[in-house]
Amino acid sequence: GAGVSQSPRYKVAKRGQDVALRCDPISGHVSLFWYQQALGQGPEFLTYFQNEAQLDKSGLPSDRFFAERPEGSVSTLKIQRTQQEDSAVYLCASSYRVTGELFFGEGSRLTVL
Amino acid sequence: KNEVEQSPQNLTAQEGEFITINCSYSVGISALHWLQQHPGGGIVSLFMLSSGKKKHGRLIATINIQEKHSSLHITASHPRDSAVYICAVRGRGGGTSYGKLTFGQGTILTVHP
Protein backbone atom coordinates (compact mmCIF):
# COMPACT_ATOMS: atom_id res chain seq x y z
CA GLY A 1 0.00 0.00 0.00
CA ALA A 2 0.89 3.65 -0.19
CA GLY A 3 1.41 4.04 3.51
CA VAL A 4 1.17 2.30 6.86
CA SER A 5 -2.43 1.49 7.60
CA GLN A 6 -3.81 0.88 11.08
CA SER A 7 -7.22 -0.29 12.16
CA PRO A 8 -9.39 0.43 13.93
CA ARG A 9 -8.63 4.14 14.23
CA TYR A 10 -10.72 4.35 17.37
CA LYS A 11 -11.67 1.61 19.79
CA VAL A 12 -13.69 1.87 22.98
CA ALA A 13 -13.52 -1.17 25.21
CA LYS A 14 -15.00 -2.04 28.55
CA ARG A 15 -12.50 -2.95 31.22
CA GLY A 16 -11.75 -6.65 30.96
CA GLN A 17 -12.41 -6.97 27.25
CA ASP A 18 -9.81 -8.22 24.81
CA VAL A 19 -8.85 -5.99 21.88
CA ALA A 20 -6.88 -6.53 18.70
CA LEU A 21 -5.20 -3.74 16.79
CA ARG A 22 -3.99 -4.27 13.25
CA CYS A 23 -1.06 -2.77 11.36
CA ASP A 24 -0.56 -3.15 7.63
CA PRO A 25 2.95 -1.89 6.83
CA ILE A 26 4.28 -0.58 3.56
CA SER A 27 4.84 -3.47 1.18
CA GLY A 28 8.40 -4.72 1.33
CA HIS A 29 9.22 -3.14 4.65
CA VAL A 30 11.12 -5.63 6.73
CA SER A 31 11.05 -3.86 10.08
CA LEU A 32 7.87 -3.17 12.02
CA PHE A 33 7.56 -1.36 15.33
CA TRP A 34 4.75 -0.86 17.82
CA TYR A 35 4.71 2.16 20.15
CA GLN A 36 2.33 3.29 22.89
CA GLN A 37 1.62 7.00 23.31
CA ALA A 38 -0.22 8.18 26.40
CA LEU A 39 -1.97 11.53 26.29
CA GLY A 40 0.52 14.39 26.32
CA GLN A 41 3.52 12.08 26.26
CA GLY A 42 6.01 10.97 23.66
CA PRO A 43 5.68 7.48 22.18
CA GLU A 44 7.21 4.59 24.06
CA PHE A 45 8.60 1.47 22.46
CA LEU A 46 6.60 -1.73 22.81
CA THR A 47 8.02 -4.28 20.41
CA TYR A 48 9.88 -4.75 17.14
CA PHE A 49 9.74 -7.31 14.32
CA GLN A 50 12.23 -8.15 11.64
CA ASN A 51 10.11 -9.99 9.09
CA GLU A 52 8.15 -12.51 11.16
CA ALA A 53 10.65 -12.65 14.00
CA GLN A 54 9.87 -10.66 17.11
CA LEU A 55 13.36 -9.53 18.01
CA ASP A 56 12.57 -7.26 20.92
CA LYS A 57 9.49 -7.25 23.13
CA SER A 58 11.06 -5.60 26.13
CA GLY A 59 8.64 -2.68 26.03
CA LEU A 60 5.46 -4.71 26.40
CA PRO A 61 4.10 -3.55 29.77
CA SER A 62 2.66 -6.86 30.90
CA ASP A 63 1.87 -10.38 29.79
CA ARG A 64 -1.57 -9.11 28.78
CA PHE A 65 0.10 -7.61 25.72
CA PHE A 66 0.94 -9.85 22.81
CA ALA A 67 2.07 -9.04 19.27
CA GLU A 68 2.51 -11.20 16.22
CA ARG A 69 3.48 -10.91 12.58
CA PRO A 70 3.09 -14.48 11.35
CA GLU A 71 3.83 -13.94 7.65
CA GLY A 72 6.20 -11.02 7.96
CA SER A 73 3.73 -8.43 6.74
CA VAL A 74 0.56 -7.57 8.69
CA SER A 75 0.98 -7.37 12.45
CA THR A 76 -1.55 -7.58 15.24
CA LEU A 77 -1.18 -6.18 18.74
CA LYS A 78 -3.49 -7.93 21.16
CA ILE A 79 -4.34 -6.69 24.62
CA GLN A 80 -6.12 -9.10 26.90
CA ARG A 81 -8.31 -8.14 29.85
CA THR A 82 -7.90 -4.43 29.14
CA GLN A 83 -7.38 -2.02 32.02
CA GLN A 84 -7.97 1.72 32.14
CA GLU A 85 -4.23 2.37 32.11
CA ASP A 86 -4.09 0.75 28.68
CA SER A 87 -5.91 3.77 27.24
CA ALA A 88 -3.50 5.33 24.75
CA VAL A 89 -2.75 5.73 21.08
CA TYR A 90 -0.99 2.68 19.67
CA LEU A 91 1.30 3.60 16.82
CA CYS A 92 2.75 1.28 14.25
CA ALA A 93 5.76 2.16 12.10
CA SER A 94 7.62 0.31 9.40
CA SER A 95 10.92 0.73 7.61
CA TYR A 96 12.67 -0.96 4.73
CA ARG A 97 15.48 -1.93 7.05
CA VAL A 98 16.01 -1.55 10.78
CA THR A 99 18.21 1.52 10.38
CA GLY A 100 16.09 3.18 7.75
CA GLU A 101 13.61 6.02 7.73
CA LEU A 102 10.44 5.28 9.66
CA PHE A 103 6.95 5.54 8.25
CA PHE A 104 4.17 5.81 10.80
CA GLY A 105 0.53 4.87 10.66
CA GLU A 106 -2.20 7.18 11.92
CA GLY A 107 -2.46 5.21 15.13
CA SER A 108 -5.24 3.37 16.92
CA ARG A 109 -6.74 5.29 19.82
CA LEU A 110 -7.88 2.90 22.55
CA THR A 111 -10.15 4.08 25.33
CA VAL A 112 -10.88 1.65 28.13
CA LEU A 113 -13.90 2.52 30.24
CA LYS B 1 16.41 12.05 34.11
CA ASN B 2 15.04 10.99 30.75
CA GLU B 3 17.48 9.70 28.18
CA VAL B 4 16.12 12.22 25.65
CA GLU B 5 15.27 15.75 26.74
CA GLN B 6 13.68 18.38 24.54
CA SER B 7 13.40 22.10 25.07
CA PRO B 8 11.31 24.08 25.14
CA GLN B 9 8.23 22.00 25.94
CA ASN B 10 5.98 24.70 24.53
CA LEU B 11 6.84 27.33 21.96
CA THR B 12 4.70 30.13 20.59
CA ALA B 13 5.85 32.22 17.65
CA GLN B 14 4.59 34.79 15.21
CA GLU B 15 4.46 33.95 11.54
CA GLY B 16 7.83 34.57 9.91
CA GLU B 17 9.94 34.02 13.00
CA PHE B 18 12.97 31.74 13.10
CA ILE B 19 12.37 28.80 15.43
CA THR B 20 14.79 26.48 17.20
CA ILE B 21 13.90 23.31 19.08
CA ASN B 22 16.61 21.53 21.02
CA CYS B 23 17.21 17.89 21.85
CA SER B 24 19.80 16.52 24.26
CA TYR B 25 20.44 12.85 24.87
CA SER B 26 22.53 10.94 27.35
CA VAL B 27 23.26 7.65 25.58
CA GLY B 28 25.40 6.64 22.65
CA ILE B 29 23.34 6.65 19.50
CA SER B 30 23.53 5.41 15.97
CA ALA B 31 20.97 7.87 14.60
CA LEU B 32 18.61 10.63 15.64
CA HIS B 33 15.17 11.24 14.16
CA TRP B 34 13.12 14.41 14.09
CA LEU B 35 9.40 13.72 13.77
CA GLN B 36 6.34 15.91 13.34
CA GLN B 37 3.00 15.01 14.85
CA HIS B 38 -0.22 16.84 14.03
CA PRO B 39 -3.38 16.71 16.16
CA GLY B 40 -5.10 13.41 15.47
CA GLY B 41 -1.95 11.37 15.91
CA GLY B 42 -0.29 11.05 12.51
CA ILE B 43 3.52 11.16 12.71
CA VAL B 44 5.74 12.15 9.83
CA SER B 45 9.47 11.60 9.74
CA LEU B 46 11.27 14.87 9.00
CA PHE B 47 14.91 13.91 9.29
CA MET B 48 17.14 11.02 10.20
CA LEU B 49 20.72 11.99 10.86
CA SER B 50 23.84 10.64 12.46
CA SER B 51 26.22 13.54 11.83
CA GLY B 52 26.39 17.06 10.50
CA LYS B 53 23.42 18.87 9.06
CA LYS B 54 20.45 18.23 6.79
CA LYS B 55 18.12 20.69 5.09
CA HIS B 56 14.70 20.22 3.57
CA GLY B 57 12.84 23.30 2.47
CA ARG B 58 12.50 25.61 5.45
CA LEU B 59 13.61 22.93 7.90
CA ILE B 60 17.20 22.42 9.01
CA ALA B 61 18.44 19.75 11.43
CA THR B 62 21.88 19.65 12.98
CA ILE B 63 23.57 17.21 15.30
CA ASN B 64 26.71 17.41 17.43
CA ILE B 65 27.67 13.88 18.39
CA GLN B 66 30.38 14.94 20.85
CA GLU B 67 27.98 17.20 22.75
CA LYS B 68 25.06 14.75 22.39
CA HIS B 69 22.85 17.53 21.10
CA SER B 70 20.65 18.17 18.10
CA SER B 71 18.62 21.17 16.96
CA LEU B 72 15.70 21.54 14.59
CA HIS B 73 15.36 24.95 12.98
CA ILE B 74 12.38 26.31 11.08
CA THR B 75 12.97 29.41 8.99
CA ALA B 76 10.14 31.80 8.05
CA SER B 77 7.66 29.93 10.24
CA HIS B 78 4.06 29.57 9.14
CA PRO B 79 0.85 28.67 10.99
CA ARG B 80 0.81 25.33 9.16
CA ASP B 81 4.06 24.47 11.00
CA SER B 82 2.03 24.27 14.21
CA ALA B 83 2.46 20.73 15.49
CA VAL B 84 4.31 18.65 18.05
CA TYR B 85 7.94 18.07 17.14
CA ILE B 86 9.53 14.96 18.59
CA CYS B 87 13.16 13.95 18.81
CA ALA B 88 13.91 10.22 18.94
CA VAL B 89 17.22 8.38 19.16
CA ARG B 90 18.25 4.93 18.02
CA GLY B 91 20.62 3.11 20.32
CA ARG B 92 24.02 1.80 19.47
CA GLY B 93 23.66 -1.33 21.50
CA GLY B 94 23.63 -3.69 18.60
CA GLY B 95 21.64 -6.85 18.23
CA THR B 96 17.96 -6.61 18.92
CA SER B 97 18.24 -3.26 20.68
CA TYR B 98 19.13 -1.68 17.37
CA GLY B 99 15.47 -1.50 16.51
CA LYS B 100 14.38 0.42 19.58
CA LEU B 101 13.78 4.16 19.46
CA THR B 102 13.72 6.31 22.60
CA PHE B 103 11.55 9.39 22.25
CA GLY B 104 11.65 12.81 23.81
CA GLN B 105 8.48 14.23 25.29
CA GLY B 106 7.87 16.52 22.34
CA THR B 107 7.76 20.27 21.79
CA ILE B 108 4.38 21.84 21.12
CA LEU B 109 4.82 24.58 18.54
CA THR B 110 2.10 27.14 17.83
CA VAL B 111 2.66 29.70 15.11
CA HIS B 112 0.24 32.62 15.05
CA PRO B 113 -0.57 34.52 11.87
Side-chain angles (χ1 to χ4, degrees), chain A residues 9-10 33 35 37 40-45 48 55-56 58-59 89 91 98-102 104-106 109, chain B residues 30-31 33 35 37 40-46 48 86 90 95-106:
Chain A
R9 288 291 316 279
Y10 303 93
F33 308 83
Y35 300 96
Q37 187 175 25
Q41 303 294 317
E44 293 195 0
F45 172 83
Y48 151 61
L55 297 187
D56 190 334
S58 61
V89 175
L91 294 162
V98 68
T99 56
E101 181 183 3
L102 285 174
F104 284 82
E106 293 289 318
R109 182 179 296 276
Chain B
S30 59
H33 296 253
L35 310 166
Q37 185 171 33
I43 291 180
V44 174
S45 177
L46 299 175
M48 183 179 70
I86 303 172
R90 182 187 307 282
T96 61
S97 67
Y98 212 50
K100 185 185 299 186
L101 284 185
T102 303
F103 293 78
Q105 78 276 29

Side-chain angles (χ1 to χ4, degrees), chain B residues 14-28:
Chain B
Q14 288 297 124
E15 183 173 357
E17 286 184 357
F18 180 85
I19 287 163
T20 296
I21 299 171
N22 296 298
C23 175
S24 296
Y25 52 92
S26 57
V27 296

